[in-house]
């Protein structure tokens, strides 16, 4: 059974600081997603990582994937308040007839001045 | 271009009742997946529909069933509601070919009393 673990689950940061969220998964997968969820809202797609060594950046967020270690990271650079949200990683459990996203529990990020 | 839409936005039911939730996919998408998100948890995969067939199913009982129509819209039905079914139900649409990124709708918040 595919399991996805994120840590930390809660993260309180000061504006301007850097930090990394980790996502480990238990079985081989060739596709990993990062989503953002604001309180009471739906999920917004941030990144899709398709291959070993893939790195994607958008603004102050950078995501990377190491398929051999079954590890993805989401790095936050010089945090600002607008980044406060819950971040989920999800691994694609691909079967012969369809796909399913298996999510971690999420990391709730709070950025304060 | 409308994104993924879901109805209703909120719903209150009592134990034992049945409920139907609806989802219209993003224009151009042909695949619909359903997820259940309990408070403070990551989304859990229920099932995925493509070409009007259930393609993959998560670990949910038979009380959870679905349907996809020729226009790609989808319904999630839950019978014999339990208190534990209270959650945010998210629909996501994607392109089956190429295992496209899943885009989420705003969700239906179900409360079972």
């Amino acid at each position: 059974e595919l399991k996805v673990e994120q840590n930390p689950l809660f993260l309180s940061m000061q504006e301007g600081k850097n930090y990394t969220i980790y996502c480990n998964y238990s079985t081989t997968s060739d596709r990993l997603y990062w989503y953002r969820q604001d309180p009471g809202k739906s999920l917004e797609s941030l990144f899709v990582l398709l291959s070993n060594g893939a790195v994607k950046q958008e603004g102050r967020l950078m995501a990377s994937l190491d398929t051999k270690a079954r590890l993805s990271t989401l790095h936050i650079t010089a945090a600002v308040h607008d980044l406060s949200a819950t971040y989920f990683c999800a691994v694609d459990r691909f079967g012969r007839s369809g796909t399913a996203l298996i999510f971690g529990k999420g990391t709730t990020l709070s950025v304060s001045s | 271009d409308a994104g993924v839409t879901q109805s209703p936005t909120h719903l209150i039911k009592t134990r034992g009742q049945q409920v139907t939730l609806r989802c219209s996919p993003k224009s151009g998408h042909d695949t619909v997946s359903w997820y259940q998100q309990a408070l403070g948890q990551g989304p859990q995969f229920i099932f995925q529909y493509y070409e009007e067939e259930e393609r993959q199913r998560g670990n949910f009982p038979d009380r959870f069933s679905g349907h996809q129509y020729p226009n790609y819209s989808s319904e999630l039905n839950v019978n014999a509601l339990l208190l534990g079914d209270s959650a945010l139900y998210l629909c996501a649409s994607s392109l089956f070919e190429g295992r496209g990124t899943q885009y989420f709708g705003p969700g239906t918040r179900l409360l079972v009393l």
Side-chain angles (χ1 to χ4, degrees):
Chain A
E1 180 190 351
L2 174 57
K3 292 187 178 179
V4 180
E5 291 188 355
Q6 285 182 240
N7 69 82
L9 297 182
F10 297 95
L11 181 52
S12 182
M13 294 179 66
Q14 281 190 317
E15 281 190 330
K17 299 291 187 183
N18 303 333
Y19 209 82
T20 300
I21 298 171
Y22 297 89
C23 174
N24 290 90
Y25 53 100
S26 59
T27 62
T28 302
S29 177
D30 64 347
R31 197 164 295 207
L32 187 138
Y33 297 84
W34 284 95
Y35 285 88
R36 168 182 170 146
Q37 186 175 40
D38 291 298
K41 304 290 186 182
S42 188
L43 279 76
E44 173 191 356
S45 174
L46 294 175
F47 302 109
V48 53
L49 302 167
L50 300 178
S51 61
N52 189 42
V55 177
K56 292 217 175 156
Q57 182 160 7
E58 180 73 34
R60 300 173 188 274
L61 300 177
M62 183 174 71
S64 66
L65 178 62
D66 181 344
T67 57
K68 293 179 182 177
R70 297 176 189 164
L71 171 68
S72 179
T73 61
L74 180 66
H75 186 73
I76 302 153
T77 301
V80 293
H81 180 72
D82 284 354
L83 290 179
S84 297
T86 298
Y87 294 86
F88 292 97
C89 65
V91 176
D92 188 336
R93 187 189 75 191
F94 177 58
R96 280 184 294 175
S97 58
T99 65
L101 293 184
I102 308 302
F103 284 82
K105 290 186 175 181
T107 297
T108 298
L109 172 64
S110 175
V111 181
S112 57
S113 55
Chain B
D1 176 26
V4 181
T5 61
Q6 291 186 243
S7 63
T9 55
H10 295 83
L11 206 49
I12 300 175
K13 292 285 188 179
T14 56
R15 280 180 299 173
Q17 285 189 312
Q18 178 262 344
V19 69
T20 297
L21 311 182
R22 295 177 175 81
C23 171
S24 291
K26 186 177 165 67
S27 178
H29 285 181
D30 54 15
T31 301
V32 173
S33 305
W34 287 92
Y35 295 82
Q36 179 195 66
Q37 186 177 24
L39 204 59
Q41 301 295 317
Q44 283 198 291
F45 174 73
I46 303 175
F47 40 55
Q48 183 180 75
Y49 275 84
Y50 170 66
E51 290 188 328
E52 302 178 50
E53 290 184 7
E54 182 182 290
R55 296 292 178 145
Q56 274 223 36
R57 189 178 181 92
N59 190 25
F60 279 80
D62 292 345
R63 298 186 297 109
F64 289 77
S65 63
H67 188 78
Q68 186 181 34
Y69 293 94
N71 68 352
Y72 309 120
S73 67
S74 177
E75 290 180 352
L76 164 65
N77 301 292
V78 187
N79 293 323
L81 284 166
L82 303 174
L83 295 180
D85 294 332
S86 296
L88 179 67
Y89 288 85
L90 294 163
C91 162
S93 76
S94 58
L95 267 175
F96 192 83
E97 185 71 29
R99 295 159 61 198
T101 297
Q102 294 187 21
Y103 293 90
F104 284 81
T108 294
R109 191 163 296 280
L110 172 65
L111 178 62
V112 183
L113 300 175

